[in-house]
Amino acid sequence: MNRKILSLITAGVLSAAVLTRCGKEKSEKDSVKIAYLPITHSLAVLEEAEELEKQNGIKVELVKFGSWPELLDALNSNKVDGASVLIELAMKSKQEGVGIKAVALGHHDGNVVIVSNDINSAEDLKGKTFAIPHRQSSHNILLNETLAKGGLTVDDINVTELAPTEMPSALASGQIDGYCVAEPFGAMGVSTGAGKVLYSSEELWDDSICCGLVLTDSFIENRTEDAKSFTESYKAAGNNLDKETAKATAKKYFKQNDEVLETSLQWISFDNLEITEDTYNALTDKVKKYGLSDNPPAYSEFVKNDF
Ligand code: ZN
């Protein structure tokens, strides 16, 4: 074999090896792992997952969790690239040194205060038991705002933390007298006849923040272009989520009947999911006022709008 043929064969083998390696790296590199809970508040990320791969080849690997603490463990230990999560939980992680940034809202409005049928006002909650999913949540803030309407504070009631899925049945059995939690569990309490809406979130807190889309610093730093594409297409997916699209996406991912979904989706919207400084500062004021945290992260260190 002369030297020229040998070098051609060598070059061919080498380029095949390079191609194979690049191909493998590409498929691993192009996947984005996003954690979520099966709630209507995460519909923008579920909707985006359907579209993003078609548009620019980034595959969204959705990782479903059953509770916020499990989801937080995965996010805080970099097992996922991001999550749709209660923003107060993400703020707490950031405060404790976890490298994450909030890049968009999960939704606008979309929460209700559900009470048993014998409760007709905030004052009636005195001495009653009320469930929230986690102390670090906008549901806790909405509870505080509800009580303030009746001249009460959390010291006048019993506050308990329950998993979202347990709340409608706990209300029906009389174990609790009210709850506030991510949807569609509020709508389920209405649908069973066990409870009614005392307040919707916009009656208590104008333009309330609840969930956020957060990404890890390592994903943002190591794959900046993917993080940018992911965030842009997430916001576009939110803008496309009208009531019908939201219902179709929800039916694909959740086992809820049409009545529950239709009731729930009346209360929520997904357009314009950018986190503005004004709405974030209103959130941090309430986080401090109601004792969720004395030192929440500043907008400039936690929110990223500048891809
Ligand atoms: Zn939410």
Side-chain angles (χ1 to χ4, degrees), residues 23-50:
K24 196 175 168 209
E25 276 173 2
K26 189 169 172 49
S27 67
E28 282 169 2
K29 183 176 146 304
D30 286 352
S31 162
V32 184
K33 272 192 187 177
I34 300 293
Y36 77 103
L37 254 60
I39 51 178
T40 58
H41 294 194
S42 59
L43 276 176
V45 90
L46 302 179
E47 172 68 11
E48 181 193 17
E50 308 257 312

Short mmCIF file of all heavy atoms in Angstrom, two decimals, residues 23-50:
data_model
loop_
_atom_site.label_atom_id
_atom_site.label_comp_id
_atom_site.label_asym_id
_atom_site.label_seq_id
_atom_site.Cartn_x
_atom_site.Cartn_y
_atom_site.Cartn_z
N GLY A 23 -21.94 13.38 16.27
CA GLY A 23 -23.35 12.99 16.24
C GLY A 23 -23.85 12.63 17.62
O GLY A 23 -24.91 13.08 18.06
N LYS A 24 -23.02 11.86 18.36
CA LYS A 24 -23.42 11.45 19.70
C LYS A 24 -23.52 12.66 20.63
O LYS A 24 -24.49 12.85 21.34
CB LYS A 24 -22.40 10.44 20.24
CG LYS A 24 -22.91 9.67 21.43
CD LYS A 24 -21.92 8.62 21.84
CE LYS A 24 -22.29 8.07 23.19
NZ LYS A 24 -21.15 7.60 23.93
N GLU A 25 -22.47 13.50 20.54
CA GLU A 25 -22.46 14.69 21.41
C GLU A 25 -23.67 15.57 21.12
O GLU A 25 -24.29 16.09 22.00
CB GLU A 25 -21.19 15.51 21.16
CG GLU A 25 -20.02 14.98 21.96
CD GLU A 25 -18.72 15.68 21.61
OE1 GLU A 25 -18.76 16.60 20.78
OE2 GLU A 25 -17.69 15.29 22.16
N LYS A 26 -24.01 15.65 19.82
CA LYS A 26 -25.11 16.52 19.45
C LYS A 26 -26.42 16.05 20.11
O LYS A 26 -27.12 16.83 20.71
CB LYS A 26 -25.26 16.56 17.93
CG LYS A 26 -26.24 17.62 17.46
CD LYS A 26 -26.15 17.80 15.96
CE LYS A 26 -27.24 18.69 15.42
NZ LYS A 26 -27.41 19.95 16.11
N SER A 27 -26.67 14.72 20.03
CA SER A 27 -27.95 14.26 20.58
C SER A 27 -28.01 14.45 22.10
O SER A 27 -29.02 14.82 22.65
CB SER A 27 -28.22 12.81 20.20
OG SER A 27 -27.28 12.00 20.85
N GLU A 28 -26.86 14.23 22.79
CA GLU A 28 -26.87 14.42 24.25
C GLU A 28 -26.98 15.90 24.58
O GLU A 28 -27.74 16.30 25.44
CB GLU A 28 -25.57 13.86 24.86
CG GLU A 28 -25.59 12.35 24.97
CD GLU A 28 -24.22 11.79 25.32
OE1 GLU A 28 -23.28 12.58 25.51
OE2 GLU A 28 -24.11 10.56 25.37
N LYS A 29 -26.22 16.69 23.83
CA LYS A 29 -26.13 18.12 24.10
C LYS A 29 -27.47 18.81 23.86
O LYS A 29 -27.82 19.75 24.56
CB LYS A 29 -25.05 18.71 23.17
CG LYS A 29 -24.76 20.16 23.35
CD LYS A 29 -23.63 20.50 22.42
CE LYS A 29 -23.69 21.87 21.83
NZ LYS A 29 -24.82 22.31 21.12
N ASP A 30 -28.23 18.31 22.88
CA ASP A 30 -29.43 19.03 22.49
C ASP A 30 -30.64 18.74 23.36
O ASP A 30 -31.71 19.27 23.14
CB ASP A 30 -29.76 18.73 21.02
CG ASP A 30 -28.80 19.45 20.11
OD1 ASP A 30 -28.03 20.27 20.62
OD2 ASP A 30 -28.81 19.19 18.91
N SER A 31 -30.47 17.88 24.35
CA SER A 31 -31.60 17.60 25.23
C SER A 31 -31.57 18.57 26.43
O SER A 31 -30.52 18.90 26.95
CB SER A 31 -31.48 16.15 25.69
OG SER A 31 -32.26 15.93 26.81
N VAL A 32 -32.75 19.05 26.83
CA VAL A 32 -32.86 19.92 28.01
C VAL A 32 -33.78 19.22 29.00
O VAL A 32 -34.92 18.90 28.67
CB VAL A 32 -33.49 21.29 27.64
CG1 VAL A 32 -33.50 22.21 28.86
CG2 VAL A 32 -32.75 21.94 26.50
N LYS A 33 -33.28 18.97 30.21
CA LYS A 33 -34.09 18.27 31.22
C LYS A 33 -34.82 19.29 32.09
O LYS A 33 -34.19 20.08 32.78
CB LYS A 33 -33.16 17.46 32.13
CG LYS A 33 -32.87 16.08 31.65
CD LYS A 33 -32.20 15.31 32.76
CE LYS A 33 -31.74 13.97 32.25
NZ LYS A 33 -31.03 13.20 33.25
N ILE A 34 -36.14 19.24 32.06
CA ILE A 34 -36.93 20.21 32.82
C ILE A 34 -37.88 19.47 33.78
O ILE A 34 -38.66 18.61 33.36
CB ILE A 34 -37.76 21.11 31.88
CG1 ILE A 34 -36.83 21.89 30.93
CG2 ILE A 34 -38.64 22.07 32.68
CD1 ILE A 34 -35.94 22.93 31.59
N ALA A 35 -37.79 19.84 35.06
CA ALA A 35 -38.64 19.22 36.08
C ALA A 35 -39.97 19.96 36.19
O ALA A 35 -40.02 21.18 36.04
CB ALA A 35 -37.92 19.28 37.43
N TYR A 36 -41.04 19.19 36.44
CA TYR A 36 -42.35 19.83 36.59
C TYR A 36 -43.24 18.97 37.46
O TYR A 36 -42.97 17.78 37.69
CB TYR A 36 -43.01 20.04 35.22
CG TYR A 36 -43.61 18.78 34.62
CD1 TYR A 36 -44.99 18.56 34.65
CD2 TYR A 36 -42.81 17.80 34.05
CE1 TYR A 36 -45.55 17.41 34.12
CE2 TYR A 36 -43.36 16.63 33.52
CZ TYR A 36 -44.73 16.45 33.56
OH TYR A 36 -45.28 15.30 33.05
N LEU A 37 -44.32 19.58 37.97
CA LEU A 37 -45.40 18.85 38.64
C LEU A 37 -46.62 18.86 37.72
O LEU A 37 -46.81 19.84 36.98
CB LEU A 37 -45.77 19.54 39.96
CG LEU A 37 -45.31 18.86 41.26
CD1 LEU A 37 -43.81 18.71 41.30
CD2 LEU A 37 -45.77 19.64 42.48
N PRO A 38 -47.44 17.84 37.73
CA PRO A 38 -48.61 17.81 36.82
C PRO A 38 -49.73 18.74 37.29
O PRO A 38 -50.73 18.30 37.85
CB PRO A 38 -49.04 16.34 36.83
CG PRO A 38 -48.54 15.81 38.13
CD PRO A 38 -47.32 16.59 38.49
N ILE A 39 -49.52 20.04 37.09
CA ILE A 39 -50.49 21.07 37.47
C ILE A 39 -50.67 22.01 36.28
O ILE A 39 -49.77 22.12 35.44
CB ILE A 39 -50.01 21.86 38.71
CG1 ILE A 39 -48.58 22.38 38.50
CG2 ILE A 39 -50.10 21.01 39.96
CD1 ILE A 39 -48.04 23.21 39.65
N THR A 40 -51.81 22.70 36.22
CA THR A 40 -52.03 23.60 35.08
C THR A 40 -51.01 24.74 35.07
O THR A 40 -50.75 25.33 34.03
CB THR A 40 -53.46 24.20 35.10
OG1 THR A 40 -53.64 24.89 36.34
CG2 THR A 40 -54.52 23.14 34.96
N HIS A 41 -50.42 25.04 36.23
CA HIS A 41 -49.43 26.12 36.31
C HIS A 41 -48.17 25.83 35.51
O HIS A 41 -47.39 26.72 35.23
CB HIS A 41 -49.06 26.38 37.77
CG HIS A 41 -50.20 26.93 38.58
ND1 HIS A 41 -50.06 27.50 39.81
CD2 HIS A 41 -51.53 27.02 38.27
CE1 HIS A 41 -51.24 27.90 40.26
NE2 HIS A 41 -52.14 27.61 39.35
N SER A 42 -47.96 24.56 35.14
CA SER A 42 -46.76 24.23 34.35
C SER A 42 -47.11 24.00 32.87
O SER A 42 -46.28 23.48 32.12
CB SER A 42 -46.06 23.00 34.94
OG SER A 42 -46.94 21.90 34.94
N LEU A 43 -48.29 24.41 32.45
CA LEU A 43 -48.71 24.11 31.06
C LEU A 43 -47.82 24.76 30.00
O LEU A 43 -47.65 24.19 28.92
CB LEU A 43 -50.16 24.56 30.83
CG LEU A 43 -51.24 23.57 31.28
CD1 LEU A 43 -52.61 24.17 31.09
CD2 LEU A 43 -51.13 22.26 30.51
N ALA A 44 -47.22 25.91 30.29
CA ALA A 44 -46.38 26.56 29.27
C ALA A 44 -45.18 25.69 28.93
O ALA A 44 -44.77 25.58 27.77
CB ALA A 44 -45.94 27.95 29.72
N VAL A 45 -44.61 25.05 29.93
CA VAL A 45 -43.44 24.20 29.66
C VAL A 45 -43.86 22.91 28.95
O VAL A 45 -43.14 22.39 28.09
CB VAL A 45 -42.64 23.95 30.97
CG1 VAL A 45 -43.06 22.73 31.72
CG2 VAL A 45 -41.15 23.86 30.67
N LEU A 46 -45.04 22.41 29.27
CA LEU A 46 -45.54 21.20 28.60
C LEU A 46 -45.86 21.51 27.14
O LEU A 46 -45.56 20.71 26.23
CB LEU A 46 -46.79 20.66 29.31
CG LEU A 46 -46.59 20.32 30.79
CD1 LEU A 46 -47.89 19.82 31.41
CD2 LEU A 46 -45.50 19.27 30.97
N GLU A 47 -46.45 22.67 26.90
CA GLU A 47 -46.78 23.11 25.54
C GLU A 47 -45.49 23.31 24.75
O GLU A 47 -45.36 22.91 23.59
CB GLU A 47 -47.59 24.40 25.59
CG GLU A 47 -47.84 25.09 24.26
CD GLU A 47 -48.76 24.31 23.34
OE1 GLU A 47 -49.37 23.33 23.79
OE2 GLU A 47 -48.83 24.69 22.16
N GLU A 48 -44.48 23.93 25.39
CA GLU A 48 -43.22 24.20 24.70
C GLU A 48 -42.52 22.92 24.30
O GLU A 48 -41.95 22.82 23.21
CB GLU A 48 -42.29 25.00 25.61
CG GLU A 48 -40.99 25.30 24.90
CD GLU A 48 -39.91 25.80 25.81
OE1 GLU A 48 -40.03 25.64 27.03
OE2 GLU A 48 -38.95 26.37 25.27
N ALA A 49 -42.57 21.91 25.18
CA ALA A 49 -41.88 20.66 24.89
C ALA A 49 -42.35 20.07 23.57
O ALA A 49 -41.59 19.47 22.82
CB ALA A 49 -42.13 19.67 26.03
N GLU A 50 -43.63 20.28 23.27
CA GLU A 50 -44.19 19.74 22.02
C GLU A 50 -43.59 20.46 20.81
O GLU A 50 -43.38 19.87 19.77
CB GLU A 50 -45.71 19.99 21.99
CG GLU A 50 -46.43 19.51 23.23
CD GLU A 50 -47.16 18.21 22.99
OE1 GLU A 50 -47.86 18.13 21.98
OE2 GLU A 50 -47.01 17.29 23.82
#
